[in-house]
Amino acid sequence: MYSGYNLQGIMRRSTINTLHQFEKFGYYSQNIANANTHGYKAMRFDDVLDEQGYVSGAVRTNHAQGSFQLTQNPLDIGLKGPGYMPVTSVGGEIYYTRDGSFTLNKDGYLVTTTGDLVGGGIRIDATSVKTEIRPNGEVYTYKDPAGEGEYCGTIPLVQFANPEGLEEVGKNRYRATENSGEIVLIENHNRIAQYGIERSNVDIFASVDEIMRLNTSLLASTSLMKAVGDMYDKAINIRD
């Protein structure tokens, strides 16, 4: 007789499946917590039930574009269509993000909210009165709004053969992996929009609904484990 159908097998399967539900609960909670994070991409957990009744799964990232929100900040940009902006951390690591809520560091360089350098280093002259970020990513500053702009650099845009292969490293950033495939620099594009940011693509209602379903499932699983545990204790007492 297959051992998975005895009390110990049922308890083991229920424990593993409950731990899996807790893990899934954490990812959907993370989505809700980042519903207002600029450029955040929602995560999901795909369930797989094997022939022995064990649930396993894989973490997936929804790379669909979020909605565009207008702002009054000339350093804010949003991406339209696929692609990621390379940024360099203080430690020299190369990451990729869609969060275009940029600021200037103490040296006048364009950085992310976490202090990562945008592109190869784009310095904005503090004496300029206007900053223009064009759809192709070129950055110009003006000392006279009616005069000619001074080129400061270009915000690069790249894409991956398999975006789902990117590894999330926290703070709304991703790292390239073997699974993400070839990195391609996007040239001659018009995907960057100034004075706006891309919002999170989290479906807050769907996430809350999933949390409620998981909560119900967890209550049922823990009740089953308690019932099986009581049966196991009674079986031991009968043998004694």
Side-chain angles (χ1 to χ4, degrees):
M1 178 180 179
Y2 170 53
S3 61
Y5 292 106
N6 60 30
L7 291 179
Q8 288 180 330
I10 294 173
M11 181 63 79
R12 172 179 167 79
R13 186 165 60 246
S14 297
T15 300
I16 292 176
N17 291 349
T18 299
L19 290 173
H20 169 82
Q21 289 172 324
F22 270 115
E23 185 177 7
K24 188 176 180 180
F25 194 95
Y27 285 111
Y28 283 102
S29 298
Q30 180 176 330
N31 284 344
I32 293 174
N34 285 281
N36 293 318
T37 300
H38 304 150
Y40 176 80
K41 299 305 175 189
M43 305 178 73
R44 71 180 189 273
F45 208 91
D46 291 342
D47 294 324
V48 178
L49 182 67
D50 65 21
E51 65 277 4
Q52 296 181 347
Y54 291 102
V55 178
S56 61
V59 179
R60 306 291 186 190
T61 302
N62 177 11
H63 288 272
Q65 183 173 328
S67 60
F68 188 77
Q69 177 183 343
L70 291 173
T71 71
Q72 300 298 318
N73 189 344
L75 300 183
D76 283 344
I77 66 168
L79 301 184
K80 296 182 177 181
Y84 286 84
M85 295 172 287
V87 296
T88 306
S89 72
V90 177
E93 298 89 355
I94 304 297
Y95 298 125
Y96 302 89
T97 186
R98 286 182 67 93
D99 184 356
S101 51
F102 298 145
T103 58
L104 299 180
N105 65 11
K106 61 182 179 62
D107 297 316
Y109 284 94
L110 201 62
V111 296
T112 66
T113 54
T114 56
D116 297 336
L117 197 68
V118 178
I122 302 172
R123 190 173 185 277
I124 305 297
D125 188 345
T127 63
S128 61
V129 297
K130 175 185 174 183
T131 300
E132 178 189 15
I133 302 177
R134 298 181 179 178
N136 63 358
E138 293 180 350
V139 181
Y140 289 82
T141 56
Y142 297 79
K143 292 185 178 180
D144 177 0
E148 212 169 300
E150 180 181 351
Y151 175 73
C152 302
T154 300
I155 300 173
L157 194 60
V158 301
Q159 62 185 11
F160 298 84
N162 176 32
E164 285 207 356
L166 292 170
E167 177 189 0
E168 186 185 14
V169 294
K171 299 181 180 179
N172 212 5
R173 301 172 302 177
Y174 296 89
R175 178 190 291 122
T177 68
E178 289 186 5
N179 292 331
S180 60
E182 183 183 2
I183 304 174
V184 178
L185 178 66
I186 304 174
E187 299 179 300
N188 303 319
H189 66 84
N190 60 349
R191 299 184 185 180
I192 292 179
Q194 190 180 14
Y195 289 102
I197 51 175
E198 181 187 2
R199 293 177 56 84
S200 160
N201 68 353
V202 172
D203 185 333
I204 190 69
F205 298 105
S207 296
V208 170
D209 181 66
E210 188 65 31
I211 288 287
M212 294 175 66
R213 290 174 183 272
L214 283 170
N215 186 59
T216 302
S217 179
L218 282 168
L219 289 173
S221 296
T222 52
S223 296
L224 173 62
M225 292 173 65
K226 183 179 183 305
V228 173
D230 291 341
M231 293 171 61
Y232 189 70
D233 289 341
K234 289 180 181 178
I236 292 176
N237 291 333
I238 291 174
R239 286 200 298 269
D240 291 342

